[in-house]
Amino acid sequence: MSTALVLLIVGLTLFAAGSWVALNIRGAAASLERRAAANAELAMHARGDLGPPRRVASAGSYRLVGTLIALCGIVFTLGGLLESL
């Protein structure tokens, strides 16, 4: 498998996944926030702490990370296109 094909596949996958979260399609960022809160609550209960869970990350921070991942996907895709020339 050539390097250009690998870069194109990885780049397009990163772009699709990152833009899905960055644009909050079907509530992706909000569900990631709820999942992080549930995991934090389960970890606290496993330790015996029954207080309210601490907020790990907000939906806005997940959208920011999604934007960065989508931009990296564009870079990989452009690298794959340039490699194929």
Side-chain angles (χ1 to χ4, degrees):
M1 190 180 293
S2 70
T3 307
L5 185 62
V6 171
L7 286 174
L8 283 172
I9 291 172
V10 170
L12 290 174
T13 304
L14 284 174
F15 178 72
S19 61
W20 190 273
V21 174
L23 297 175
N24 201 18
I25 297 174
R26 297 185 66 181
S31 66
L32 284 172
E33 179 183 20
R34 286 191 306 269
R35 182 177 180 174
N39 284 339
E41 185 177 4
L42 285 175
M44 288 178 64
H45 285 261
R47 287 192 311 259
D49 186 7
L50 299 177
R54 291 186 304 270
R55 188 173 195 175
V56 179
S58 66
S61 62
Y62 283 114
R63 291 182 74 180
L64 178 66
V65 170
T67 303
L68 293 174
I69 290 173
L71 290 175
C72 290
I74 290 173
V75 170
F76 274 103
T77 303
L78 290 177
L81 289 174
L82 290 175
E83 183 75 25
S84 67
L85 294 177

